[in-house]
Amino acid sequence: GPWDVDDIIPKIRSQQQRTNQHIAVHTFGFGEGHSAQLLQSLAEAQSGVYYYVGKSEDVPTAYGDALGGLLSV
């Protein structure tokens, strides 16, 4: 699949146009070895938030923050 935000964003926006809805994208980077720049850029371009999850104990907090934000809309 695509690994460049310039390839991914147009595909998301194409879907938005078809449905006439904005799609917020939240991204999660787990541990080392992921592209924080890609995930952060993708989230920011789609009104979302990038979460860094350093260890398994951080998963509930990261997902809780994301879901809490969705539920408060």
Side-chain angles (χ1 to χ4, degrees):
W3 287 90
D4 186 275
V5 74
D6 293 328
D7 293 331
I8 298 169
I9 294 298
K11 291 176 177 147
I12 293 172
R13 293 196 174 145
S14 173
Q15 292 297 321
Q16 289 177 157
Q17 289 176 347
R18 287 187 210 155
T19 62
N20 199 29
Q21 295 181 10
H22 177 74
I23 301 168
V25 175
H26 300 284
T27 59
F28 298 84
F30 295 92
E32 302 300 320
H34 67 276
S35 175
Q37 182 179 5
L38 170 69
L39 295 176
Q40 187 166 9
S41 296
L42 181 59
E44 288 176 359
Q46 288 303 123
S47 307
V49 177
Y50 161 69
Y51 295 91
Y52 173 73
V53 182
K55 53 189 185 283
S56 60
E57 293 82 19
D58 299 332
V59 171
T61 301
Y63 278 94
D65 287 349
L67 289 173
L70 291 173
L71 296 175
S72 67
V73 173

